[in-house]
Amino acid sequence: MAWILLVLAGLAEVVWAVGLKYTEGFTRVAPSVVTIVFMVISVWLLAVALRTIPLGTGYAVWVGIGAVGTAIAGMILFGESKSVARLVCILLIVAGIVGLKLTTQES
């Protein structure tokens, strides 16, 4: 269950990171509220997951999911580069996330 919460926390991180783009520096109310709500949800889910998952692993996986998801969202929503080098780097992050999951024993 902790790993599911951690994945949800990472997905919530993607939502708030993308939301930052739409807030226009927190000058737009609705996107700002959505962004702040997802920030709170993301950190809360991370905190709950860290009751079981080791800190270093949990934080690294959370950040990794957020980084990969946000990079992909940037490509889809904002036309950011889809270069082979960038995609390979994203795959390396995914490999690191999977590696951490496979080598971590919950406490």
Side-chain angles (χ1 to χ4, degrees):
M1 185 63 166
W3 284 98
I4 292 169
L5 294 176
L6 185 58
V7 169
L8 291 174
L11 295 174
E13 182 184 8
V14 174
V15 173
W16 71 255
V18 171
L20 283 174
K21 183 80 168 172
Y22 291 104
T23 68
E24 295 180 13
F26 289 103
T27 60
R28 296 180 61 214
V29 175
S32 296
V33 169
V34 170
T35 299
I36 292 167
V37 166
F38 274 88
M39 285 176 171
V40 170
I41 290 169
S42 181
V43 173
W44 178 74
L45 289 170
L46 173 64
V48 173
L50 291 178
R51 291 179 185 161
T52 305
I53 299 170
L55 172 63
T57 300
Y59 184 75
V61 170
W62 178 67
V63 169
I65 292 169
V68 169
T70 303
I72 292 169
M75 291 177 203
I76 294 167
L77 298 172
F78 307 115
E80 294 177 3
S81 170
K82 298 176 184 97
S83 71
V84 172
R86 190 166 188 210
L87 295 173
V88 167
C89 291
I90 290 170
L91 287 174
L92 290 170
I93 295 169
V94 171
I97 293 168
V98 171
L100 286 169
K101 166 63 173 119
L102 294 174
T103 60
T104 298
Q105 296 178 344
E106 295 182 21
S107 53

